[in-house]
């Protein structure tokens, strides 16, 4: 490349033609000779006297040749680096070591980033043995402070990029030696800051050092001393280290907890927000660790296993001192409500109080409620808002018996606060009411419900988007509380019409884009519809044409920018969601609107928009479930759109939804789906074979095949051999015992394989072609036996296994006498009985009666 400097600078040119040409030139140089290109870049970075911007671009490009967020892309880059001639890589690394001691701080900083990328690759294989000794020497030998900062930055960047199990102990010891030397009290603040940051990153792989008490004491003393530095940056970074230690070494804190409590309490009260936030974060981390221990202990106790970790109950022990400090942080609010406001001390304090409440549960109530009761009506807005936030923060954790009486008393106060003179008090009050509706709705007095609904409805159109959005959240949660209500009416019925009308107005406010307002309003609409009682059906019948009209109007919306396009697509998705829940709620009453609904849903599919497509598919499924066989009239138009969804492997969520819709449609129209099955089954089987399709879709595909088989009965003969071959392959998928996520996935996969088998068996039986299964009986029974013997199978797999065995036995009768006499069958049935699940026990009884009948008759 004739002029690397100008090419790199051209990559920043606002003119797309110039920028694209430069990017292509760099790509060509990379592809032509990667070693030569990387050498040129590092030489450009080290070229003293040249423009520093160009040098920096060269260093960053060098770093990016090795960096990638995607694991596959990074692995390919690593492979290319390790395949390079050692002479070239050593030259590049030698140049970087020289630049790390350059006079130019920007060049040094960029070299530190590039060195970290290479160090993270080469240190685990000891391919760059010079790096850490070089950095240690720079830190400990006499020299310019800037060089020491760069060396420590390099250590920090490198530590951040390496996994904890990749690096040998000798290297870790050298790194810690350099870092501890850099954080010494007599060092300048910039050096101490770089060392503190490096130490935080290196703590991920210092387990061996922390196991050694003298070394642990030295590290803890070093950090504690750094928390007293006069430079606030160093203090803040040091408290970050303490938080990291709480996360990684909870079991080692006992000897230091008194000191850490004193230091963090002083920091929270000290008046420097950045430092105080990190001190609060230490206690938040302790809460998270103790909550994890509680959850682990509960799980192990349920299994009859002794707990592995024990809680020291640090949070409960500190409660009387910690809570008064935390509630004072709540008074450090920003003046105005702002969606884009940065994380601040008040937010950190509220989060920590929530975690404390979940850690100590009922104990927090008596400690914090005096502050709440004293200040919730304070003349100073900061105190009113802080008291309200404190109360909101302890709603989750304590039992309803403990917190319930305070919730009951709070409702009138919070409703009144919706009209508070200060916007933040209104915002927090609406949020707190939403939390109460979510967590303690039964504590709301019956007589307060009308005022609560009216108070929330009153702010929907009149208050700021923040407050209105929180009111939508509260109404959503209030409506959700009626999920299990039965009968022709419920307590919300008198308000449903007014609330739906007002919420639909909210969705068209001019400021709908702020605070996620439109989305929140439609979420509340959907929940109100979903849980509305029978006496609200006329309201829904009147509302549905308006929703359809709104969807129709979106097709004519002007799109002049990406923002316009996103807004249009989001609105279409939201309206499809309303149509879905309304259809489910109206049931047969939706039929007069079916043609109009389908016409508009089909129109949604004309644009490429994964979100709207997913919602439209779900609305289609809802309509198919209600129309049943009558839905077949839409299949000619819908069929290609379903195939489009099935083949959309890139947007795998849409593919998954489309797969589920096909299953719904098959159940609805049954045999009428057969004319479309060749293409549908081809697409389904191709998805099973596609290695690039997200694995979460595969179980849905298997379940869908079962639905199709059941729908077309004997017509499935055409697809039987290919399908059973795929099921056999899928049944061989295994999971290691120690991988919980994979065990869960494989159980889900097997559950759906069994659903597919069941659909096929029942469909062929109904179609009079069950004899086609005889050659495959050994494979199916073998699969059931394998599942029975697998200790990791869950109850869903057990239930489906027993059901599949029963379907096979009832279909083939005496022809499988030998199979049902195998020992695993009785083991499987006994396990089903032992679950105590009435549904499974009923299935076991049914299967047992079939087996008894088979064994009592002579074979054919």
């Amino acid at each position: 490349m004739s002029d690397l400097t100008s090419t790199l600078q051209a990559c920043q040119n606002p003119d797309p033609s110039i920028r694209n040409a430069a990017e292509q030139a760099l790509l060509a140089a990379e592809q032509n000779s990667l070693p030569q290109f990387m050498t040129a870049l590092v030489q450009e970075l080290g070229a003293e006297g040249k423009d520093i911007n160009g040098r920096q671009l060269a260093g960053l490009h060098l770093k990016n040749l090795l960096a990638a967020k995607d694991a596959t892309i990074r692995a390919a880059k690593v492979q290319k680096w390790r395949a390079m001639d050692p002479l070239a890589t050593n030259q590049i690394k030698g140049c970087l070591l020289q630049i790390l001691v350059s006079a130019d701080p920007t060049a040094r900083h960029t070299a530190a980033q590039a060195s970290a990328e290479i160090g993270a690759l080469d240190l685990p294989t000891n391919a760059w043995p010079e790096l850490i000794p070089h950095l240690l020497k720079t830190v400990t030998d006499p020299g310019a402070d800037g060089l020491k900062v760069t060396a420590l930055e390099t250590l920090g960047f490198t530590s951040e990029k390496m996994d904890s199990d990749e690096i040998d102990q000798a290297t870790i010891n050298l790194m810690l030696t350099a870092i501890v030397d850099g954080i010494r009290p007599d060092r300048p603040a910039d050096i101490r800051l770089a060392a503190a940051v490096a130490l935080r990153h290196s703590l991920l792989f210092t387990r061996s050092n922390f196991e050694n008490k003298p070394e642990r004491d030295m590290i803890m003393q070093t950090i504690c001393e750094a928390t007293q530095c006069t430079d606030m940056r160093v203090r803040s970074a040091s408290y970050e280290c303490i938080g990291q230690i709480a996360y990684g070494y909870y079991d080692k804190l006992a000897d230091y907890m008194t000191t850490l409590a004193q230091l963090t309490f002083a920091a929270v009260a000290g008046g420097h927000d950045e430092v105080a936030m990190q001190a609060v974060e230490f206690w938040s981390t302790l809460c998270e660790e103790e909550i994890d221990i509680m959850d682990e202990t509960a799980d192990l106790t349920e299994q009859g296993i002794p707990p592995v970790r024990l809680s020291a109950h640090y949070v409960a022990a500190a409660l009387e001192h910690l809570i008064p400090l935390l509630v004072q942080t709540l008074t450090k609010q920003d003046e105005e409500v702002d969606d884009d406001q940065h994380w601040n001390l008040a937010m950190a304090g509220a989060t920590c109080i929530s975690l404390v409440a979940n850690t100590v549960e009922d104990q927090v109530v008596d400690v914090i409620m005096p502050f709440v009761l004293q200040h919730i009506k304070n003349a100073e807005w900061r105190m009113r808002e802080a008291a309200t936030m404190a109360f909101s923060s302890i709603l989750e954790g304590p039992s309803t018996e403990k917190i319930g009486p305070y919730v009951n008393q709070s409702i009138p106060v919070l409703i009144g606060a919706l009209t508070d003179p200060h916007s933040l008090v209104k915002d927090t009050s609406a949020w707190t009411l939403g939390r109460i509706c979510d967590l303690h709705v039964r504590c709301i007095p019956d007589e307060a419900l009308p005022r609560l609904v009216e108070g929330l409805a009153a702010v929907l159109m009149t208050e700021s988007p923040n407050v209105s959005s929180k009111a939508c959240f509260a109404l959503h949660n209030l409506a959700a509380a009626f999920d299990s209500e039965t009968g022709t009416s419920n307590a919300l019925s008198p308000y449903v019409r007014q609330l739906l009308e007002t919420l639909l107005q909210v969705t068209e406010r001019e400021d709908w884009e702020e605070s996620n307002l439109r989305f929140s309003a439609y979420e509340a609409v959907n929940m109100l519809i979903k849980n509305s009682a029978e006496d609200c059906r006329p309201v829904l019948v009147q509302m549905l044409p308006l929703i359809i009209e709104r969807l129709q109007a979106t097709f004519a919306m002007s799109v002049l920018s990406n923002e316009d396009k996103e807004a249009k697509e989001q609105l279409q998705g939201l309206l499809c969601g309303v149509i879905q829940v309304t259809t489910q709620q109206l049931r047969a009453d939706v039929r007069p609107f079916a043609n109009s609904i389908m016409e508009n849903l089909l129109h949604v599919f004309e644009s490429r928009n994964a979100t709207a497509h997913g919602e439209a598919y779900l609305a289609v499924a809802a309509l198919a479930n209600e129309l049943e066989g009558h839905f077949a009239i839409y299949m000619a138009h819908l069929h290609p759109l379903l195939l489009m969804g099935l083949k959309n492997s890139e947007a795998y969520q849409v593919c998954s939804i489309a797969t589920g819709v096909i299953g719904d449609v098959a159940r609805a129209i049954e045999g009428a789906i057969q004319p479309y099955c060749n293409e549908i089954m081809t697409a389904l089987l191709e998805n099973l074979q596609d290695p690039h399709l997200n694995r979460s879709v595969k179980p849905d595909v298997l379940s869908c095949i079962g639905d199709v088989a059941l729908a077309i009965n004997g017509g499935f003969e055409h697809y039987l051999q290919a399908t059973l071959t795929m099921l056999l392959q899928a049944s061989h998928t295994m999971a290691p015992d120690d991988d919980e996520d994979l065990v869960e996935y494989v159980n889900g996969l097997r559950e759906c394989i069994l659903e597919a088998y069941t659909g096929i068996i029942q469909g062929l039986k109904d179609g009079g072609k069950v004899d086609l299964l005889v050659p495959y009986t050994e494979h199916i029974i073998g699969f059931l036996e394998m599942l029975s013997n697998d200790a990791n199978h869950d109850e869903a797999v057990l239930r489906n296994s027993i059901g599949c065995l029963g379907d096979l036995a009832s279909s083939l009768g005496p022809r499988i006498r030998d199979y049902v006499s195998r020992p695993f069958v009785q083991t499987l049935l006994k396990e089903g009985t032992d679950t105590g699940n009435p549904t499974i026990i009923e299935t076991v009884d049914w299967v047992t009666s079939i087996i008894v009948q088979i064994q009592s008759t002579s074979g054919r």
Side-chain angles (χ1 to χ4, degrees), residues 222-239:
T222 300
I223 296 172
C224 290
E225 288 175 348
T227 64
Q228 303 307 297
C229 179
T230 55
D231 189 292
M232 292 302 112
R233 299 172 302 158
V234 176
R235 292 184 65 188
S236 180
S238 300
Y239 279 110

Side-chain angles (χ1 to χ4, degrees), residues 330-579:
L330 302 182
T331 66
K332 307 291 186 181
Q333 313 96 322
D334 289 343
E335 184 71 25
E336 298 292 336
V337 180
D338 181 6
D339 281 344
D340 298 322
Q341 63 185 316
H342 297 294
W343 185 253
N344 58 39
L345 182 55
M347 293 177 179
T351 301
C352 189
I353 292 172
S354 295
L355 289 165
V356 169
N358 279 281
T359 305
V360 304
E361 299 174 335
D362 284 358
Q363 295 177 64
V364 77
V365 177
D366 293 337
V367 181
I368 208 168
M369 283 310 299
F371 173 84
V372 175
L373 295 171
Q374 181 181 354
H375 296 294
I376 200 161
K377 293 185 178 181
N378 195 297
E380 166 59 41
W381 76 263
R382 289 188 182 276
M383 300 306 295
R384 292 197 304 277
E385 196 278 335
T388 307
M389 181 58 77
F391 184 58
S392 179
S393 299
I394 65 166
L395 288 171
E396 184 178 7
S399 64
T400 298
E401 290 73 21
K402 185 67 175 179
I403 196 73
Y406 294 109
V407 171
N408 185 296
Q409 299 168 31
S410 73
I411 300 301
V413 179
L414 293 169
I415 294 172
L418 293 174
T419 58
D420 192 277
H422 199 279
S423 60
L424 194 58
V425 177
K426 289 185 282 194
D427 183 84
T428 304
S429 298
W431 168 250
T432 304
L433 285 168
R435 297 257 296 164
I436 288 172
C437 291
D438 181 30
L439 299 167
H440 301 287
V441 70
R442 302 304 172 196
C443 297
I444 299 174
D446 291 341
E447 63 272 17
L449 183 61
R451 191 177 168 206
L452 174 61
V453 174
E454 290 164 6
L456 292 170
V459 302
L460 289 173
M461 289 297 295
T462 59
E463 291 295 340
S464 69
N466 275 293
V467 176
S468 180
S469 182
K470 303 292 194 317
C472 292
F473 166 73
L475 288 168
H476 172 278
N477 291 341
L478 181 62
F482 290 84
D483 183 42
S484 58
E485 293 278 336
T486 57
T488 58
S489 185
N490 63 36
L492 272 185
S493 291
Y495 314 106
V496 167
R497 180 185 295 274
Q498 173 208 351
L499 289 175
L500 288 176
E501 289 175 352
T502 307
L503 286 165
L504 289 173
Q505 291 175 29
V506 171
T507 65
E508 296 191 324
R509 280 178 48 159
E510 290 184 0
D511 51 6
W512 63 265
E513 291 180 285
E514 299 178 36
S515 302
N516 214 19
L517 180 55
R518 173 178 280 174
F519 178 83
S520 299
Y522 272 120
E523 285 286 285
V525 165
N526 287 344
M527 190 56 69
L528 279 165
I529 294 170
K530 178 178 179 291
N531 290 339
S532 62
E534 288 289 329
D535 58 353
C536 294
R537 187 170 292 193
V539 176
L540 304 187
V541 170
Q542 291 176 7
M543 183 198 70
L544 184 54
L546 171 63
I547 302 301
I548 297 171
E549 288 173 12
R550 286 193 176 189
L551 180 58
Q552 187 174 14
T554 64
F555 304 128
M557 286 175 62
S558 175
V559 177
L560 301 177
S561 65
N562 282 335
E563 290 77 13
D564 291 341
K565 181 175 181 291
E566 290 175 5
K568 173 181 176 178
E569 292 172 350
Q570 182 200 54
L571 180 56
Q572 287 178 346
L574 292 170
L575 290 166
C576 288
V578 178
I579 289 173

Side-chain angles (χ1 to χ4, degrees), residues 202-220:
S202 69
L203 286 169
L204 294 171
F205 44 79
T206 55
R207 170 64 63 181
S208 178
N209 304 86
F210 261 78
E211 292 295 338
N212 183 306
K213 190 174 188 307
E215 290 189 44
R216 183 169 72 244
D217 288 344
M218 180 269 296
I219 294 171
M220 293 301 298

Side-chain angles (χ1 to χ4, degrees), residues 495-720:
Y495 314 106
V496 167
R497 180 185 295 274
Q498 173 208 351
L499 289 175
L500 288 176
E501 289 175 352
T502 307
L503 286 165
L504 289 173
Q505 291 175 29
V506 171
T507 65
E508 296 191 324
R509 280 178 48 159
E510 290 184 0
D511 51 6
W512 63 265
E513 291 180 285
E514 299 178 36
S515 302
N516 214 19
L517 180 55
R518 173 178 280 174
F519 178 83
S520 299
Y522 272 120
E523 285 286 285
V525 165
N526 287 344
M527 190 56 69
L528 279 165
I529 294 170
K530 178 178 179 291
N531 290 339
S532 62
E534 288 289 329
D535 58 353
C536 294
R537 187 170 292 193
V539 176
L540 304 187
V541 170
Q542 291 176 7
M543 183 198 70
L544 184 54
L546 171 63
I547 302 301
I548 297 171
E549 288 173 12
R550 286 193 176 189
L551 180 58
Q552 187 174 14
T554 64
F555 304 128
M557 286 175 62
S558 175
V559 177
L560 301 177
S561 65
N562 282 335
E563 290 77 13
D564 291 341
K565 181 175 181 291
E566 290 175 5
K568 173 181 176 178
E569 292 172 350
Q570 182 200 54
L571 180 56
Q572 287 178 346
L574 292 170
L575 290 166
C576 288
V578 178
I579 289 173
Q580 178 203 352
V581 295
T582 307
T583 298
Q584 291 169 333
Q585 196 69 2
L586 286 180
R587 298 191 291 276
D589 288 345
V590 80
R591 294 190 177 192
F593 306 99
N595 287 344
S596 179
I597 290 173
M598 280 303 300
E599 180 182 347
N600 285 282
L601 292 177
L602 292 172
H603 202 162
V604 171
F605 290 110
E606 292 177 5
S607 63
R608 285 185 63 85
N609 173 17
T611 300
H613 284 192
E615 295 293 339
Y617 280 128
L618 292 173
V620 167
L623 193 61
N625 289 334
E626 300 307 331
L627 297 183
E628 295 182 327
H630 298 287
F631 188 81
I633 62 174
Y634 304 115
M635 279 302 294
H637 296 287
L638 182 62
H639 172 239
L641 301 174
L642 291 173
L643 289 175
M644 177 181 71
L646 281 184
K647 296 176 181 178
N648 191 358
S649 58
E650 292 182 6
Y652 70 88
Q653 298 95 335
V654 174
C655 180
S656 178
I657 293 171
T659 302
V661 172
I662 290 173
D664 291 330
V665 170
R667 289 193 299 272
I669 67 175
E670 297 180 330
I673 199 173
Q674 180 143 6
Y676 311 98
C677 280
N678 282 350
E679 290 178 287
I680 288 174
M681 285 301 301
T682 298
L684 290 171
L685 293 174
E686 286 176 350
N687 281 348
L688 283 179
Q689 294 176 295
D690 185 355
H692 304 295
L693 180 63
N694 189 285
R695 73 181 190 187
S696 65
V697 183
K698 304 296 177 80
D700 298 328
V701 173
L702 293 164
S703 183
C704 180
I705 288 172
D707 291 328
V708 172
L710 188 59
I712 64 176
N713 297 335
F716 198 77
E717 176 183 0
H718 182 66
Y719 317 107
L720 185 63

